[in-house]
Amino acid sequence: MHRVILHADINNCFASIECLYNASLRGKPVAVAGDVQARHGIILAKTEQAKAMGVRTGEPIWQARQKCPELVTVLPHFDRYLRFSRMTRQIYEEYTDKVEPFGLDEAWLDVTGCGADDETGMRTAEELRRRVKFECGVTISVGAADNKIFAKLGSDMKKPDAVTVITPENFRQKVWPLPVQELLYVGRSTGRKLAGYGVRTIGELAGTDPRALKCWLGKTGEMLHVFANGGDRTPVMVSGAESEIKSIGNSTTTPCDLQNDEDVGVVFWILCESVAERMRSHGLMAQTVQISVRASDLETFERQVKLERPTVLAKDLHQAAAALFAANYSWRRPVRMVGVRACGLMPDSAAVQTMLFESEARRIRRETLERTVDDLRRRFGHACIGRASVAMDPRFGRLNPKEDNVAHPVSFLKPGGFV
């Protein structure tokens, strides 16, 4: 069966939404950026006017201002972006039950089951574009193809507020001349490596012997060869379906450099509570704890340790994280970023061997206490209750990684997909 897959992408999502809320920003070079005072000063999104001046996502604010001195920066409001993400998704779900998010502002739609062909797919894409613009006040670009890879490529080819159709008949003319970095999962490193072998366009990638690509890039090389030739057949997930969660983590760049183990311990408490709360909300527990640390000279390392028993407790995560840090950091330089990740996740309903020298009743009381804190924060806000060690340190009391760092679903390579 000839599939019709659409990929809808909200144009300049964060920046467009900020301009909706503040009419004085419209028509100006605007960027949504982090808080410079909190050392999160990078560009998260920008308007077309800022893009025309060379402003790029991910670059520091100071660098963006050198290109565009009149750049207006605003802080992000993730609650607004989530609201618009839900609004657009509700529109998409009126056309098909197969709507798969790819980040906050993008989604694939499989309209094959609606009896669509390329012509009706084009009409559906145009209708979606008009409806989102009228009902939500933001614009989208839509790509239409018979596979997810080319559909996403199509939504990137014409921006803003446009529809691009890529078919089995025209993809060689439309897709193959593009730089190889335009293909999903060809990042900077892979692009440089391919360029070293003389592969600079998607067409050249498609014409390369897959055995050579496997030799250069491993299994990824074979996957990219299939993608370049339009052979992707990964399905679009049904709305509401969740892919398997492999790990849950949070990290933060601190407002000031951390100078000793006590400083790091306070931030670890904030991160471990966030990670533990997220695990409990998904009904999971962790078997392994991983930490990431970045020093003031930007040197970064990661370490992990397997726990004696699976846990959902922030106390257990903190104990493991602090021990890992103490064993692996010599304090030759201050620390500017730390992260905690829970790995080896399993259902919290699974049977677990109890510890011989640990009171199970005490562990149950701790878990009940932490779940009660979760309930209080859901009802009255994150700041309604907290640890004294965190509250007494004004440098870190405002950090809330669970809400400040929104996790968005990115689930293309998953069970049932290509790899």
Side-chain angles (χ1 to χ4, degrees), residues 90-111:
Q90 287 173 356
I91 294 174
Y92 302 156
E93 289 173 354
E94 293 182 26
Y95 295 82
T96 175
D97 64 343
K98 295 181 179 179
V99 178
E100 179 182 339
F102 190 68
L104 187 71
D105 54 344
E106 304 179 41
W108 280 290
L109 298 77
D110 187 342
V111 295

PDB file of all heavy atoms in Angstrom, residues 90-111:
ATOM      1  N   GLN A  90      -4.350  18.323  18.990  1.00  0.00           N
ATOM      2  CA  GLN A  90      -5.782  18.041  18.957  1.00  0.00           C
ATOM      3  C   GLN A  90      -6.336  18.216  17.544  1.00  0.00           C
ATOM      4  O   GLN A  90      -7.202  17.451  17.109  1.00  0.00           O
ATOM      5  CB  GLN A  90      -6.515  18.961  19.937  1.00  0.00           C
ATOM      6  CG  GLN A  90      -6.305  18.592  21.397  1.00  0.00           C
ATOM      7  CD  GLN A  90      -6.892  19.621  22.344  1.00  0.00           C
ATOM      8  OE1 GLN A  90      -7.398  20.670  21.932  1.00  0.00           O
ATOM      9  NE2 GLN A  90      -6.835  19.332  23.642  1.00  0.00           N
ATOM     10  N   ILE A  91      -5.830  19.209  16.821  1.00  0.00           N
ATOM     11  CA  ILE A  91      -6.252  19.388  15.432  1.00  0.00           C
ATOM     12  C   ILE A  91      -5.791  18.206  14.588  1.00  0.00           C
ATOM     13  O   ILE A  91      -6.566  17.649  13.796  1.00  0.00           O
ATOM     14  CB  ILE A  91      -5.686  20.710  14.870  1.00  0.00           C
ATOM     15  CG1 ILE A  91      -6.304  21.907  15.600  1.00  0.00           C
ATOM     16  CG2 ILE A  91      -5.946  20.814  13.365  1.00  0.00           C
ATOM     17  CD1 ILE A  91      -5.703  23.247  15.207  1.00  0.00           C
ATOM     18  N   TYR A  92      -4.530  17.791  14.748  1.00  0.00           N
ATOM     19  CA  TYR A  92      -4.006  16.666  13.970  1.00  0.00           C
ATOM     20  C   TYR A  92      -4.836  15.401  14.204  1.00  0.00           C
ATOM     21  O   TYR A  92      -5.109  14.632  13.268  1.00  0.00           O
ATOM     22  CB  TYR A  92      -2.555  16.376  14.343  1.00  0.00           C
ATOM     23  CG  TYR A  92      -1.583  17.522  14.173  1.00  0.00           C
ATOM     24  CD1 TYR A  92      -0.401  17.574  14.910  1.00  0.00           C
ATOM     25  CD2 TYR A  92      -1.838  18.576  13.293  1.00  0.00           C
ATOM     26  CE1 TYR A  92       0.494  18.619  14.770  1.00  0.00           C
ATOM     27  CE2 TYR A  92      -0.961  19.629  13.152  1.00  0.00           C
ATOM     28  CZ  TYR A  92       0.209  19.649  13.895  1.00  0.00           C
ATOM     29  OH  TYR A  92       1.098  20.683  13.753  1.00  0.00           O
ATOM     30  N   GLU A  93      -5.254  15.192  15.464  1.00  0.00           N
ATOM     31  CA  GLU A  93      -5.953  13.955  15.809  1.00  0.00           C
ATOM     32  C   GLU A  93      -7.378  13.921  15.273  1.00  0.00           C
ATOM     33  O   GLU A  93      -8.037  12.880  15.342  1.00  0.00           O
ATOM     34  CB  GLU A  93      -5.935  13.769  17.328  1.00  0.00           C
ATOM     35  CG  GLU A  93      -4.547  13.413  17.849  1.00  0.00           C
ATOM     36  CD  GLU A  93      -4.461  13.398  19.361  1.00  0.00           C
ATOM     37  OE1 GLU A  93      -5.472  13.784  20.016  1.00  0.00           O
ATOM     38  OE2 GLU A  93      -3.401  13.021  19.898  1.00  0.00           O
ATOM     39  N   GLU A  94      -7.864  15.034  14.722  1.00  0.00           N
ATOM     40  CA  GLU A  94      -9.160  15.002  14.045  1.00  0.00           C
ATOM     41  C   GLU A  94      -9.051  14.316  12.680  1.00  0.00           C
ATOM     42  O   GLU A  94     -10.079  13.940  12.094  1.00  0.00           O
ATOM     43  CB  GLU A  94      -9.686  16.420  13.862  1.00  0.00           C
ATOM     44  CG  GLU A  94     -10.053  17.123  15.173  1.00  0.00           C
ATOM     45  CD  GLU A  94     -10.618  18.508  14.925  1.00  0.00           C
ATOM     46  OE1 GLU A  94     -11.178  18.722  13.818  1.00  0.00           O
ATOM     47  OE2 GLU A  94     -10.488  19.373  15.812  1.00  0.00           O
ATOM     48  N   TYR A  95      -7.839  14.145  12.170  1.00  0.00           N
ATOM     49  CA  TYR A  95      -7.640  13.563  10.844  1.00  0.00           C
ATOM     50  C   TYR A  95      -7.161  12.115  10.894  1.00  0.00           C
ATOM     51  O   TYR A  95      -7.397  11.353   9.961  1.00  0.00           O
ATOM     52  CB  TYR A  95      -6.620  14.403  10.060  1.00  0.00           C
ATOM     53  CG  TYR A  95      -7.106  15.793   9.760  1.00  0.00           C
ATOM     54  CD1 TYR A  95      -7.014  16.805  10.707  1.00  0.00           C
ATOM     55  CD2 TYR A  95      -7.699  16.092   8.537  1.00  0.00           C
ATOM     56  CE1 TYR A  95      -7.482  18.078  10.455  1.00  0.00           C
ATOM     57  CE2 TYR A  95      -8.171  17.379   8.266  1.00  0.00           C
ATOM     58  CZ  TYR A  95      -8.064  18.361   9.231  1.00  0.00           C
ATOM     59  OH  TYR A  95      -8.539  19.631   8.972  1.00  0.00           O
ATOM     60  N   THR A  96      -6.484  11.730  11.971  1.00  0.00           N
ATOM     61  CA  THR A  96      -5.974  10.366  12.078  1.00  0.00           C
ATOM     62  C   THR A  96      -5.652  10.072  13.541  1.00  0.00           C
ATOM     63  O   THR A  96      -5.370  10.993  14.326  1.00  0.00           O
ATOM     64  CB  THR A  96      -4.699  10.173  11.233  1.00  0.00           C
ATOM     65  OG1 THR A  96      -4.160   8.867  11.464  1.00  0.00           O
ATOM     66  CG2 THR A  96      -3.641  11.213  11.579  1.00  0.00           C
ATOM     67  N   ASP A  97      -5.721   8.797  13.912  1.00  0.00           N
ATOM     68  CA  ASP A  97      -5.338   8.423  15.272  1.00  0.00           C
ATOM     69  C   ASP A  97      -3.851   8.127  15.369  1.00  0.00           C
ATOM     70  O   ASP A  97      -3.345   7.834  16.449  1.00  0.00           O
ATOM     71  CB  ASP A  97      -6.151   7.215  15.750  1.00  0.00           C
ATOM     72  CG  ASP A  97      -5.870   5.958  14.922  1.00  0.00           C
ATOM     73  OD1 ASP A  97      -5.314   6.086  13.809  1.00  0.00           O
ATOM     74  OD2 ASP A  97      -6.210   4.848  15.379  1.00  0.00           O
ATOM     75  N   LYS A  98      -3.151   8.201  14.237  1.00  0.00           N
ATOM     76  CA  LYS A  98      -1.708   7.959  14.243  1.00  0.00           C
ATOM     77  C   LYS A  98      -0.972   9.298  14.171  1.00  0.00           C
ATOM     78  O   LYS A  98      -0.702   9.827  13.092  1.00  0.00           O
ATOM     79  CB  LYS A  98      -1.310   7.055  13.069  1.00  0.00           C
ATOM     80  CG  LYS A  98      -1.892   5.649  13.166  1.00  0.00           C
ATOM     81  CD  LYS A  98      -1.458   4.783  11.996  1.00  0.00           C
ATOM     82  CE  LYS A  98      -2.030   3.374  12.131  1.00  0.00           C
ATOM     83  NZ  LYS A  98      -1.627   2.520  10.976  1.00  0.00           N
ATOM     84  N   VAL A  99      -0.707   9.854  15.339  1.00  0.00           N
ATOM     85  CA  VAL A  99      -0.002  11.134  15.463  1.00  0.00           C
ATOM     86  C   VAL A  99       1.161  10.907  16.426  1.00  0.00           C
ATOM     87  O   VAL A  99       0.949  10.660  17.615  1.00  0.00           O
ATOM     88  CB  VAL A  99      -0.922  12.247  15.987  1.00  0.00           C
ATOM     89  CG1 VAL A  99      -0.143  13.547  16.139  1.00  0.00           C
ATOM     90  CG2 VAL A  99      -2.120  12.447  15.061  1.00  0.00           C
ATOM     91  N   GLU A 100       2.363  10.989  15.913  1.00  0.00           N
ATOM     92  CA  GLU A 100       3.556  10.702  16.722  1.00  0.00           C
ATOM     93  C   GLU A 100       4.381  11.974  16.932  1.00  0.00           C
ATOM     94  O   GLU A 100       4.917  12.531  15.974  1.00  0.00           O
ATOM     95  CB  GLU A 100       4.419   9.641  16.035  1.00  0.00           C
ATOM     96  CG  GLU A 100       5.687   9.305  16.799  1.00  0.00           C
ATOM     97  CD  GLU A 100       6.538   8.284  16.065  1.00  0.00           C
ATOM     98  OE1 GLU A 100       6.006   7.556  15.205  1.00  0.00           O
ATOM     99  OE2 GLU A 100       7.746   8.231  16.351  1.00  0.00           O
ATOM    100  N   PRO A 101       4.497  12.439  18.177  1.00  0.00           N
ATOM    101  CA  PRO A 101       5.296  13.652  18.431  1.00  0.00           C
ATOM    102  C   PRO A 101       6.772  13.395  18.155  1.00  0.00           C
ATOM    103  O   PRO A 101       7.283  12.291  18.353  1.00  0.00           O
ATOM    104  CB  PRO A 101       5.062  13.913  19.924  1.00  0.00           C
ATOM    105  CG  PRO A 101       3.913  13.060  20.310  1.00  0.00           C
ATOM    106  CD  PRO A 101       3.907  11.896  19.402  1.00  0.00           C
ATOM    107  N   PHE A 102       7.450  14.439  17.709  1.00  0.00           N
ATOM    108  CA  PHE A 102       8.907  14.409  17.561  1.00  0.00           C
ATOM    109  C   PHE A 102       9.419  15.740  18.101  1.00  0.00           C
ATOM    110  O   PHE A 102       9.675  16.688  17.377  1.00  0.00           O
ATOM    111  CB  PHE A 102       9.293  14.230  16.092  1.00  0.00           C
ATOM    112  CG  PHE A 102      10.767  13.944  15.887  1.00  0.00           C
ATOM    113  CD1 PHE A 102      11.316  12.742  16.313  1.00  0.00           C
ATOM    114  CD2 PHE A 102      11.588  14.864  15.271  1.00  0.00           C
ATOM    115  CE1 PHE A 102      12.657  12.465  16.115  1.00  0.00           C
ATOM    116  CE2 PHE A 102      12.933  14.598  15.070  1.00  0.00           C
ATOM    117  CZ  PHE A 102      13.472  13.405  15.498  1.00  0.00           C
ATOM    118  N   GLY A 103       9.512  15.798  19.429  1.00  0.00           N
ATOM    119  CA  GLY A 103       9.783  17.065  20.082  1.00  0.00           C
ATOM    120  C   GLY A 103       8.484  17.802  20.346  1.00  0.00           C
ATOM    121  O   GLY A 103       7.389  17.330  20.022  1.00  0.00           O
ATOM    122  N   LEU A 104       8.599  18.964  20.941  1.00  0.00           N
ATOM    123  CA  LEU A 104       7.425  19.727  21.353  1.00  0.00           C
ATOM    124  C   LEU A 104       6.661  20.295  20.173  1.00  0.00           C
ATOM    125  O   LEU A 104       5.428  20.390  20.208  1.00  0.00           O
ATOM    126  CB  LEU A 104       7.883  20.871  22.277  1.00  0.00           C
ATOM    127  CG  LEU A 104       6.791  21.687  22.944  1.00  0.00           C
ATOM    128  CD1 LEU A 104       6.105  20.858  24.010  1.00  0.00           C
ATOM    129  CD2 LEU A 104       7.388  22.942  23.562  1.00  0.00           C
ATOM    130  N   ASP A 105       7.364  20.683  19.113  1.00  0.00           N
ATOM    131  CA  ASP A 105       6.740  21.446  18.027  1.00  0.00           C
ATOM    132  C   ASP A 105       6.579  20.668  16.727  1.00  0.00           C
ATOM    133  O   ASP A 105       6.171  21.236  15.718  1.00  0.00           O
ATOM    134  CB  ASP A 105       7.559  22.707  17.753  1.00  0.00           C
ATOM    135  CG  ASP A 105       9.033  22.395  17.474  1.00  0.00           C
ATOM    136  OD1 ASP A 105       9.471  21.271  17.778  1.00  0.00           O
ATOM    137  OD2 ASP A 105       9.741  23.280  16.953  1.00  0.00           O
ATOM    138  N   GLU A 106       6.894  19.377  16.734  1.00  0.00           N
ATOM    139  CA  GLU A 106       6.820  18.590  15.504  1.00  0.00           C
ATOM    140  C   GLU A 106       6.016  17.318  15.734  1.00  0.00           C
ATOM    141  O   GLU A 106       5.960  16.798  16.855  1.00  0.00           O
ATOM    142  CB  GLU A 106       8.223  18.215  15.007  1.00  0.00           C
ATOM    143  CG  GLU A 106       9.153  19.392  14.774  1.00  0.00           C
ATOM    144  CD  GLU A 106      10.526  18.929  14.320  1.00  0.00           C
ATOM    145  OE1 GLU A 106      10.609  17.993  13.500  1.00  0.00           O
ATOM    146  OE2 GLU A 106      11.527  19.500  14.803  1.00  0.00           O
ATOM    147  N   ALA A 107       5.416  16.808  14.676  1.00  0.00           N
ATOM    148  CA  ALA A 107       4.687  15.548  14.767  1.00  0.00           C
ATOM    149  C   ALA A 107       4.521  14.945  13.383  1.00  0.00           C
ATOM    150  O   ALA A 107       4.394  15.662  12.382  1.00  0.00           O
ATOM    151  CB  ALA A 107       3.317  15.757  15.413  1.00  0.00           C
ATOM    152  N   TRP A 108       4.553  13.616  13.340  1.00  0.00           N
ATOM    153  CA  TRP A 108       4.206  12.886  12.118  1.00  0.00           C
ATOM    154  C   TRP A 108       2.745  12.460  12.181  1.00  0.00           C
ATOM    155  O   TRP A 108       2.219  12.134  13.248  1.00  0.00           O
ATOM    156  CB  TRP A 108       5.060  11.632  11.983  1.00  0.00           C
ATOM    157  CG  TRP A 108       6.440  11.844  11.460  1.00  0.00           C
ATOM    158  CD1 TRP A 108       6.815  12.203  10.197  1.00  0.00           C
ATOM    159  CD2 TRP A 108       7.667  11.683  12.195  1.00  0.00           C
ATOM    160  NE1 TRP A 108       8.182  12.272  10.099  1.00  0.00           N
ATOM    161  CE2 TRP A 108       8.732  11.969  11.295  1.00  0.00           C
ATOM    162  CE3 TRP A 108       7.984  11.326  13.498  1.00  0.00           C
ATOM    163  CZ2 TRP A 108      10.075  11.894  11.682  1.00  0.00           C
ATOM    164  CZ3 TRP A 108       9.308  11.263  13.883  1.00  0.00           C
ATOM    165  CH2 TRP A 108      10.336  11.547  12.979  1.00  0.00           C
ATOM    166  N   LEU A 109       2.085  12.460  11.021  1.00  0.00           N
ATOM    167  CA  LEU A 109       0.716  11.960  10.901  1.00  0.00           C
ATOM    168  C   LEU A 109       0.671  10.944   9.771  1.00  0.00           C
ATOM    169  O   LEU A 109       1.169  11.209   8.675  1.00  0.00           O
ATOM    170  CB  LEU A 109      -0.270  13.087  10.568  1.00  0.00           C
ATOM    171  CG  LEU A 109      -0.481  14.246  11.531  1.00  0.00           C
ATOM    172  CD1 LEU A 109       0.662  15.251  11.474  1.00  0.00           C
ATOM    173  CD2 LEU A 109      -1.797  14.940  11.205  1.00  0.00           C
ATOM    174  N   ASP A 110       0.100   9.796  10.035  1.00  0.00           N
ATOM    175  CA  ASP A 110      -0.121   8.800   8.980  1.00  0.00           C
ATOM    176  C   ASP A 110      -1.581   8.895   8.561  1.00  0.00           C
ATOM    177  O   ASP A 110      -2.479   8.521   9.306  1.00  0.00           O
ATOM    178  CB  ASP A 110       0.196   7.399   9.503  1.00  0.00           C
ATOM    179  CG  ASP A 110       0.141   6.346   8.398  1.00  0.00           C
ATOM    180  OD1 ASP A 110      -0.461   6.615   7.343  1.00  0.00           O
ATOM    181  OD2 ASP A 110       0.705   5.255   8.594  1.00  0.00           O
ATOM    182  N   VAL A 111      -1.816   9.433   7.367  1.00  0.00           N
ATOM    183  CA  VAL A 111      -3.186   9.589   6.873  1.00  0.00           C
ATOM    184  C   VAL A 111      -3.525   8.534   5.823  1.00  0.00           C
ATOM    185  O   VAL A 111      -4.518   8.660   5.113  1.00  0.00           O
ATOM    186  CB  VAL A 111      -3.412  11.010   6.297  1.00  0.00           C
ATOM    187  CG1 VAL A 111      -3.287  12.040   7.394  1.00  0.00           C
ATOM    188  CG2 VAL A 111      -2.454  11.312   5.159  1.00  0.00           C
TER     189      VAL A 111
END
